[in-house]
Amino acid sequence: MTFSATTVLVLALIAAVIVALGMWAYSTANRLDRLHVRSDQSWQALDAALGRRAVVARSVAVAITAPVADPALADRAKVLAHLADRAERVGPADRETVENQLSAALSTIDIEKLRPQMVAELADAEARVLIARRFHNDAVRDTLALRTRRSVRILHLGGTAPLPTYFEITERATPAASTGLTVDTTRTTARIVLFDEEGRTLLMRGNDPTTPDVSFWFTVGGGVDPEETLREAAVRELYEETGYQADPESLRGPIWRRVAVFPFDGDLIRSEELFFALRVPAYEPQATNLTAIERRSITGNKWCTAADIVAFDRAGETVYPYNLDQLLPEAAAAADSATDPEVRSIR
């Protein structure tokens, strides 16, 4: 039996299509598997953050009743402690409801009655919940976006793994503390460890407007706007602060996560910072669109070596994040990598 050239060509095309479809299905199934692993890990991180918040809430319940014997405070503390216990023991089906009840109970606490250390501890615990929830919901969003595609559903590439679900809880609005500072509960920051060809990193020099004589250094970046992704915020802040327009896809990361509570311009800021890494040709930074507070607080910039960072610290000008000189090799390796590394916590 012989085949014509047309028949051979058609069979070759069919085989090519089958191979291409198989390769696509295989890569998509692998990607789905990685996304499911990511959503599982993000849930574990969120679960740990919620558990820590419950422990801190129980400590707050004890703290608000310790100074005085106030029946109203005692009742409020009892409710708070009860909800903290339930949050630690409740099943998955009711977890979101109980955590929202705990958030509501925490919002009724007058933190003026707490020691500043307890205020900072509570702010830190809630900040970790906020950032862990953001990571989890981002992971769920990415997984569902691929898992619910028609082609993926028709070929059953998701297997029998259950669909991940979003976790939504309210954020606590915190009143003024006895120090006169208010806690900003919603600030999430996208930052970039920016390298040039020589391995130097760009740092901004600034100060708190309330203490202009005390300077410190920090990486490029700023707050994430509503409906803005972390990458979009990082790229926007890079352009506004230095004039460089980067492709969001060229960023590697987030590589680090840092949660800090600190006073700034009369407020107690609770900041969840997510760091990306990026290498660019050296250029002269020129701000294009600083906010009013940035114009008051940013005083300069410099392409820095690790030795420069050590010198700043020795001179009393703190560099954030801490130990950045020791972290630079890790960030440089990430900037030169073709894939995003696993995010890890730093100080």
Side-chain angles (χ1 to χ4, degrees):
M1 183 173 62
T2 60
F3 296 96
S4 66
T6 302
T7 301
V8 172
L9 178 60
V10 170
L11 290 175
L13 288 175
I14 293 174
V17 170
I18 293 175
V19 170
L21 181 61
M23 291 178 62
W24 171 84
Y26 178 77
S27 63
T28 301
N30 278 341
R31 184 184 173 198
L32 266 175
D33 183 62
R34 292 194 300 271
L35 286 172
H36 276 291
V37 170
R38 177 187 167 203
S39 61
D40 289 342
Q41 291 176 338
S42 66
W43 168 250
Q44 292 171 8
L46 176 56
D47 181 60
L50 291 169
R52 181 172 181 270
R53 185 180 74 153
V55 171
V56 174
R58 192 179 296 107
S59 299
V60 169
V62 174
I64 61 176
T65 56
V68 293
D70 186 332
L73 279 179
D75 290 342
R76 190 173 299 171
K78 186 181 296 185
V79 170
L80 184 60
H82 172 68
L83 288 173
D85 290 339
R86 284 197 63 200
E88 290 182 319
R89 295 173 173 79
V90 71
D94 299 320
R95 183 71 177 276
E96 190 174 288
T97 299
V98 174
E99 293 291 353
N100 271 297
Q101 291 172 347
L102 180 58
S103 293
L106 285 169
S107 69
T108 66
I109 301 301
D110 183 359
I111 62 173
E112 291 185 358
K113 300 182 182 299
L114 301 177
R115 292 177 293 108
Q117 294 89 338
M118 182 61 71
V119 174
E121 185 75 12
L122 178 59
D124 181 72
E126 291 187 321
R128 292 176 186 276
V129 169
L130 177 65
I131 195 169
R133 183 173 64 86
R134 178 183 287 265
F135 265 106
H136 175 67
N137 285 347
D138 283 350
V140 171
R141 178 201 62 210
D142 294 342
T143 304
L144 293 178
L146 183 59
R147 180 77 181 271
T148 56
R149 290 181 183 176
R150 180 176 298 178
S151 56
V152 172
R153 287 188 286 107
I154 291 175
L155 295 176
H156 300 287
L157 297 181
T160 58
L163 289 175
T165 57
Y166 292 102
F167 193 87
E168 299 295 348
I169 58 174
T170 58
E171 300 300 331
R172 192 174 74 93
T174 309
S178 57
T179 57
L181 302 176
T182 58
V183 178
D184 178 353
T185 62
T186 60
R187 183 172 176 80
T188 298
T189 301
R191 298 201 165 277
I192 300 178
V193 185
L194 191 70
F195 294 97
D196 66 6
E197 309 101 314
E198 300 177 14
R200 300 177 301 175
T201 187
L202 183 62
L203 295 181
M204 314 298 289
R205 187 173 189 259
N207 55 56
D208 186 332
T210 60
T211 55
D213 297 332
V214 180
S215 295
F216 51 85
W217 295 83
F218 53 96
T219 54
V220 176
V224 179
D225 291 336
E227 306 303 324
E228 191 176 39
T229 67
L230 291 170
R231 288 177 182 271
E232 290 169 348
V235 168
R236 174 182 54 76
E237 288 287 341
L238 176 62
Y239 177 72
E240 292 176 353
E241 294 182 355
T242 76
Y244 188 87
Q245 186 68 62
D247 178 1
E249 295 304 315
S250 65
L251 272 60
R252 297 274 71 83
I255 58 173
W256 303 325
R257 177 178 63 190
R258 176 175 181 263
V259 178
V261 180
F262 56 89
F264 185 80
D265 197 29
D267 287 337
L268 186 63
I269 304 297
R270 189 179 63 187
S271 178
E272 313 93 35
E273 300 176 340
L274 295 144
F275 292 80
F276 294 89
L278 176 66
R279 192 179 296 277
V280 301
Y283 66 98
E284 187 62 34
Q286 184 67 44
T288 62
N289 187 27
L290 296 181
T291 64
I293 189 65
E294 286 173 335
R295 288 193 294 271
R296 293 170 56 203
S297 60
I298 296 178
T299 59
N301 59 69
K302 182 180 179 179
W303 289 98
C304 302
T305 64
D308 292 328
I309 294 172
V310 172
F312 292 151
D313 278 323
R314 289 176 177 172
E317 294 191 351
T318 304
V319 180
Y320 300 101
Y322 296 113
N323 303 317
L324 180 59
D325 58 305
Q326 301 173 28
L327 295 170
L328 287 181
E330 178 186 347
D336 296 331
S337 174
T339 59
D340 292 328
E342 291 292 328
V343 64
R344 71 179 186 88
S345 297
I346 62 171
R347 294 181 60 238

